[in-house]
Amino acid sequence: TQYSFLSEINQSILHTDNDVSLFRKSCLVAFKVGKFKMTWIGLFECNNQKINLVTQKGIPEEDLKVFKNAPYAKNGPQDFVMSTGEYYICNNLSRDFRDEYWISFAKRNDIQSFMVLPIKKEGKIIGTFNLYSTDIDFFDKEEIGLLTKIVNDISLALDLFEKERKHKEIENRIFSNEKDFVP
């Protein structure tokens, strides 16, 4: 199943050409193939310490508003990822996590563990890939290695999309400039 997950993500990368589509497919694959209870991708608004949900799978409708334009807590998972560039894992939410709202959210949704991974574009952390499991101690060494590889592949694809966007922009500028000089 783990390698099916990696394979599906890589197929998504090959068959998409933009960030939002890749994010949607990644959440869907994590939900269906990776068997996560919930998945979501959020992008940082660094000026005001917020993260905004771009896409998700499995989050109940009544909870979605909490993930939109949400402030992230100082020393919380998103802040940790943003400041260190490393992933954040909580393998036993009820034992190891202190935020009352998130503990209540986890209990309502049978979430026992979660992982927050950095998404990078051109070397800069732009957001997180957030994965929630119903199992305590879900994120073992093998799972962490696979998920790190997946998020690195997503980040590489974002770099390629950006490179292609810049290349097309330059081509258009050259074409426009050439038109100005044709008699």
Side-chain angles (χ1 to χ4, degrees), residues 23 32 34 43 72 82 84 100 114 130 147 166 170 174:
F23 293 157
K32 286 187 171 183
L43 297 180
Y72 54 92
M82 183 62 155
T84 67
E100 289 302 317
F114 69 94
N130 308 271
L147 294 171
K166 286 178 180 177
I170 290 168
I174 290 170

Side-chain angles (χ1 to χ4, degrees), residues 14-146:
L14 290 174
H15 294 101
T16 191
D17 63 357
N18 67 76
D19 301 9
V20 175
S21 179
L22 178 59
F23 293 157
R24 281 191 193 116
K25 289 178 181 182
S26 296
C27 277
L28 180 62
V29 170
F31 184 75
K32 286 187 171 183
V33 179
K35 306 283 190 218
F36 287 98
K37 171 83 178 201
M38 293 177 199
T39 68
W40 66 280
I41 290 178
L43 297 180
F44 286 114
E45 295 177 24
C46 299
N47 301 356
N48 53 11
Q49 276 198 291
K50 291 187 177 186
I51 189 162
N52 197 27
L53 176 87
V54 174
T55 190
Q56 62 84 27
K57 282 292 173 203
I59 299 174
E61 187 72 33
E62 64 271 13
D63 290 315
L64 281 176
K65 64 185 174 292
V66 175
F67 292 87
K68 294 186 178 177
N69 204 26
Y72 54 92
K74 186 79 174 139
N75 300 320
Q78 265 68 31
D79 186 52
F80 177 84
V81 169
M82 183 62 155
S83 61
T84 67
E86 300 294 320
Y87 58 79
Y88 179 95
I89 292 177
C90 179
N91 258 327
N92 188 330
L93 204 137
S94 60
R95 182 191 69 208
D96 300 333
F97 207 67
R98 300 290 173 238
D99 185 298
E100 289 302 317
Y101 175 80
W102 290 108
I103 290 171
S104 170
F105 173 82
K107 285 180 182 174
R108 278 194 326 273
N109 293 289
D110 190 30
I111 296 168
Q112 301 295 327
S113 57
F114 69 94
M115 184 172 189
V116 179
L117 295 124
I119 296 174
K120 297 177 183 177
K121 187 175 193 176
E122 297 184 312
K124 180 182 176 205
I125 298 167
I126 62 164
T128 59
F129 194 6
N130 308 271
L131 305 162
Y132 298 81
S133 175
T134 57
D135 298 334
I136 291 175
D137 296 324
F138 179 80
F139 299 99
D140 60 18
K141 186 177 179 179
E142 187 176 352
E143 190 72 24
I144 292 166
L146 173 75

